[in-house]
Amino acid sequence: SKLPTTTIREAVEAIIKESKEKERKFVETIELQIGLKNYDTKKDKRFAGTIRLPHIPRPRMKVAVLADAQHLETASKIGIDSYSVDDLKKFNKQKKPIKKMAKKYDAFLASESIIKTIPRILGPGLSKAGKFPSLITHTDDMGDKVADIRGTIKFQLKKVLCLNVAVGNVGLTEDEVTANIVLAVNFLVSLLKKHWQNVKSLNIKSTMGKPNESTRAAPCLRKSSNLFSGPYGSTTH
């Protein structure tokens, strides 16, 4: 790995320290921002990959269950929002209310008996929002499934050479955030066509982080601490 672990730890330490000096009314997320290079988004194959981080970056991520009777009961016990088939039918395939529900939650789970009927009951709304539910069976532990969703990040190359994912929060320890970052970056590099040669810059920032002058030239990498600037690239154009 070409990752300078010491540099990462120092950057994480600075972010957590700053967040404690200016305490917010919410737990700030720590984001990893990656600038890529030598990629043609029109010609090169666009990649996508997900990885479960060891320490949950977004513990407050809102998850709802589209549930059968057994899962409705479980969701109620562990404090997870749930919707029965009857609840879903009440939407009457109306686009606006379905869109509003999709916006309210970050992700969905659905019981095995319900997941196949979702397109018929709700239409394409959840799929269009990129939030089609993950399957939950009766042998799954609902708490574990929700933790998996909250701990999983997705890298997906679209039209711009900038990726942004949550890798921690200021409530985690420096070691925990550092471990998440190292795993996330090495996984991303494994997805890239030329691996480290496609990495232009790596930066981390907290939700309300201060701007860092060294990254001002890269429009998608503002308000961050530069982690990586070496033989394969820097944060300036």
Side-chain angles (χ1 to χ4, degrees), residues 56-91:
I56 293 174
R58 295 176 64 196
R60 292 171 184 267
M61 187 179 182
K62 291 197 80 176
V63 180
V65 187
L66 312 184
D68 60 20
Q70 188 177 323
H71 283 145
L72 280 172
E73 196 179 322
T74 309
S76 175
K77 281 179 185 171
I78 65 170
I80 300 291
D81 286 1
S82 58
Y83 293 81
S84 67
V85 172
D86 287 341
D87 292 331
L88 300 178
K89 284 178 178 173
K90 284 173 191 170
F91 284 108

Side-chain angles (χ1 to χ4, degrees), residues 162 200-201 203 214-222 234-237:
C162 268
K200 181 176 184 178
S201 59
N203 297 266
S214 68
T215 61
R216 283 216 174 261
C220 64
L221 298 175
R222 288 178 186 154
S234 71
T235 52
T236 52
H237 288 286

Side-chain angles (χ1 to χ4, degrees), residues 95-196:
K95 289 180 183 177
K96 275 191 177 177
I98 292 168
K99 195 175 181 180
K100 194 176 175 182
M101 180 183 77
K103 205 173 180 180
K104 185 179 176 182
Y105 299 99
D106 298 297
F108 294 89
L109 287 168
S111 303
E112 203 166 5
S113 60
I114 291 177
I115 200 161
K116 289 174 185 172
T117 67
I118 288 167
R120 185 166 49 82
I121 298 172
L122 291 179
L126 295 184
S127 295
K128 280 185 177 177
K131 293 179 184 178
F132 191 81
S134 301
L135 174 67
I136 181 168
T137 67
H138 290 156
T139 55
D140 292 325
D141 181 297
M142 192 179 286
D144 289 346
K145 289 289 278 190
V146 170
D148 278 345
I149 287 174
R150 289 173 174 161
T152 299
I153 58 169
K154 183 175 185 177
F155 289 106
Q156 186 169 13
L157 181 67
K158 293 186 178 175
K159 290 180 181 177
V160 292
L161 295 179
C162 268
L163 302 171
N164 194 353
V165 293
V167 286
N169 63 74
V170 297
L172 294 175
T173 67
E174 290 149 25
D175 285 342
E176 287 169 340
V177 178
T178 302
N180 277 0
I181 292 170
V182 170
L183 187 66
V185 173
N186 284 326
F187 175 70
L188 169 66
V189 169
S190 75
L191 296 176
L192 299 175
K193 188 176 60 172
K194 293 182 180 176
H195 306 302
W196 280 101

